[in-house]
């Protein structure tokens, strides 16, 4: 009996593994297809500045319109794209698309905000660099000072001199650098003084249970104080409630991103969404803020 069970478990495990491999292979195959057939789209989520009461940036977030499975979230395919190296062509498409959009908005006279683009650590090893970025910036006519590169702490796991010069060269284009998902990585804080960082984005995990959760409140307090003394601009990610907004505003966190203001929207909807946010007079005072 034990033997039978073992065999069954073994067979079940194999079938599951086979499915997983098949799914990965299918997914990889359809990602290649998606690149060639332009099945990707960039959505944009506004980032609100509490001091100027303006939307000063929008984060570009990739969406995949799969012909059979519908809309697939990046959390489902970006990790596999990173594992297979497909993040390189996808990342190039994302950056080119974001730059072309910046240029298009500028031509339409709505060019007063920056676009924040996610760059995976693996893109550095696959050949994305300042020269490649400069070619795309030049060919699209985008203003490089309106580009923010979002990188994660994993970039600093080996704080190599190559990583430093890679980032220095991106900065020399005129772009800004933000640390995404700040506080969730395992790297030391010393990179903050070694690398040319401009902004920290506090991960949603620390915002979710504000203001009631005392530990999260202490951590966000500490991050705010630290960013202030280091001269780094702070962005809170995943702000969904007015209570979270008020709390963060009172702490002195300058920038807010989250569903409270807007979910990520297609490019053509962004100008209207921004107008609505900026026209909302309540957004100027956190004490009577409603949305
Ligand atoms: P991220 O860069 O940290 O982006 C923020 C994520 O939080 C987005 O998920 C956004 O929709 C979500 N979010 C924003 N505000 C709220 C909120 O108030 N509540 C909740 N529940 N969620 C909120 P999304 O678009 O699904 O992207 C997930 C992740 O996929 C991104 O996390 C980023 O790591 C990656 N990603 C997305 N687009 C790209 C891309 O073009 N290139 C690369 N390399 N990675 C990307
Ligand atoms: Mg991001
Ligand atoms: Mg993030
Ligand atoms: Mg992330």
């Amino acid at each position: 009996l034990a033997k039978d069970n073992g065999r069954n478990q073994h067979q079940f495990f194999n079938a599951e593994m086979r499915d997983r491999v098949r799914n990965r292979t299918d997914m990889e195959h359809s990602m290649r297809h998606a690149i060639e057939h332009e099945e990707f789209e960039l959505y944009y989520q506004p980032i609100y500045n509490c001091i100027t009461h303006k939307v000063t940036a929008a984060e570009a977030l990739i969406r995949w319109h799969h012909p059979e499975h519908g809309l697939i979230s990046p959390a489902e395919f970006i990790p596999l794209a990173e594992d297979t190296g497909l993040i390189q062509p996808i990342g190039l498409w994302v950056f080119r698309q974001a730059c072309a959009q910046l240029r298009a908005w500028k031509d339409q006279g709505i060019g007063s905000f920056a676009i924040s683009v996610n760059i995976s650590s693996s893109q550095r090893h696959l050949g994305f660099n300042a020269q490649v970025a400069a070619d795309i910036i030049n060919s699209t006519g985008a203003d490089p000072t309106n580009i923010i590169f979002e990188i994660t702490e994993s970039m600093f796991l080996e704080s190599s001199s190559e990583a430093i010069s890679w980032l220095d060269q991106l900065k020399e284009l005129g772009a800004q650098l933000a640390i995404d998902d700040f506080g969730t990585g395992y790297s030391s804080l010393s990179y903050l003084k070694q690398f040319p960082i401009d902004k920290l984005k506090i991960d949603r995990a620390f915002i979710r249970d504000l203001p009631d959760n005392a530990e999260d409140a202490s951590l966000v307090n500490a991050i705010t104080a630290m960013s202030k003394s280091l001269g780094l601009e702070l962005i809170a990610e995943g702000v969904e409630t007015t209570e979270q907004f008020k709390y963060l505003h009172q702490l002195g966190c300058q920038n807010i991103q989250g569903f409270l203001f807007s979910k990520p929207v297609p490019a053509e909807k962004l100008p209207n969404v921004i107008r609505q946010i900026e026209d909302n007079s309540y957004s100027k005072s956190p004490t009577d803020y409603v949305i």
Side-chain angles (χ1 to χ4, degrees):
L1 191 73
K3 214 175 170 186
D4 279 354
N5 267 346
R7 197 189 295 143
N8 282 341
Q9 272 168 21
H10 189 64
Q11 280 168 354
F12 175 72
F13 182 62
N14 270 342
E16 197 185 70
M17 265 181 48
R18 213 169 38 231
D19 277 356
R20 218 181 293 153
V21 170
R22 200 187 290 137
N23 284 342
R24 269 179 72 97
T25 316
D26 281 356
M27 184 88 140
E28 192 181 335
H29 176 79
S30 45
M31 264 197 290
R32 287 183 197 282
H33 184 272
I35 295 164
E36 285 159 25
H37 294 81
E38 302 251 346
E39 290 170 11
F40 296 114
E41 182 179 3
L42 289 185
Y43 274 35
Y44 296 88
Q45 187 178 33
I47 299 172
Y48 176 80
N49 186 301
C50 302
I51 296 154
T52 60
H53 311 298
K54 298 275 180 217
V55 171
T56 52
E59 179 172 5
L61 294 156
I62 195 169
R63 298 293 180 262
W64 180 5
H65 299 280
H66 193 285
E68 291 148 47
H69 306 307
L71 203 64
I72 304 183
S73 112
E76 283 179 62
F77 67 90
I78 291 291
L80 183 59
E82 289 169 345
D83 286 354
T84 54
L86 287 172
I87 192 65
Q88 175 65 357
I90 293 173
L92 285 175
W93 179 85
V94 166
F95 189 62
R96 196 174 296 115
Q97 188 66 24
C99 286
Q101 190 62 66
L102 260 183
R103 174 59 198 260
W105 275 324
K106 191 183 171 205
D107 288 348
Q108 294 163 37
I110 30 182
S112 58
F113 53 90
I115 294 184
S116 210
V117 182
N118 292 284
I119 306 289
S120 298
S121 296
S122 45
Q123 285 176 257
R124 177 168 81 85
H125 303 290
L126 292 166
F128 185 83
N129 59 32
Q131 187 52 58
V132 171
D135 288 346
I136 293 173
I137 289 167
N138 291 334
S139 67
T140 53
D143 178 352
T145 63
N146 280 337
I147 295 168
I148 303 161
F149 291 107
E150 293 194 10
I151 56 177
T152 58
E153 290 166 286
S154 61
M155 188 74 80
F156 309 109
L157 284 178
E158 1 100 56
S159 82
S160 61
S161 55
E162 291 99 86
I164 297 182
S165 74
W166 185 85
L167 286 171
D168 279 337
Q169 286 168 27
L170 286 178
K171 281 277 300 176
E172 280 164 23
L173 297 173
Q176 292 195 292
L177 291 180
I179 304 299
D180 202 359
D181 308 337
F182 181 73
T184 61
Y186 289 98
S187 68
S188 93
L189 286 176
S190 64
Y191 73 83
L192 289 176
K193 59 174 190 182
Q194 291 168 34
F195 293 89
I197 310 300
D198 302 290
K199 300 162 193 277
L200 298 182
K201 300 188 74 172
I202 313 177
D203 194 73
R204 181 155 59 92
F206 303 109
I207 308 297
R208 197 184 298 128
D209 301 325
L210 289 183
D212 299 331
N213 185 298
E215 281 90 20
D216 288 338
S218 304
L219 283 167
V220 171
N221 263 282
I223 293 171
T224 309
M226 183 190 72
S227 71
K228 233 177 252 173
S229 61
L230 290 175
L232 299 168
E233 212 179 313
L234 205 58
I235 299 137
E237 293 192 288
V239 178
E240 295 184 355
T241 69
T242 52
E243 288 72 28
Q244 291 167 342
F245 173 74
K246 283 182 205 170
Y247 186 81
L248 289 158
H249 189 282
Q250 279 151 15
L251 267 189
C253 174
Q254 306 101 320
N255 299 285
I256 304 289
Q257 178 179 357
F259 294 174
L260 176 67
F261 285 103
S262 174
K263 290 192 171 181
V265 295
E268 64 272 15
K269 293 213 171 120
L270 188 69
N272 259 333
V273 167
I274 291 180
R275 210 167 300 130
Q276 277 167 21
I277 293 170
E278 293 182 347
D279 284 354
N280 182 347
S281 57
Y282 293 109
S283 68
K284 300 198 165 80
S285 160
T287 41
D288 50 21
Y289 187 82
V290 277
I291 201 151

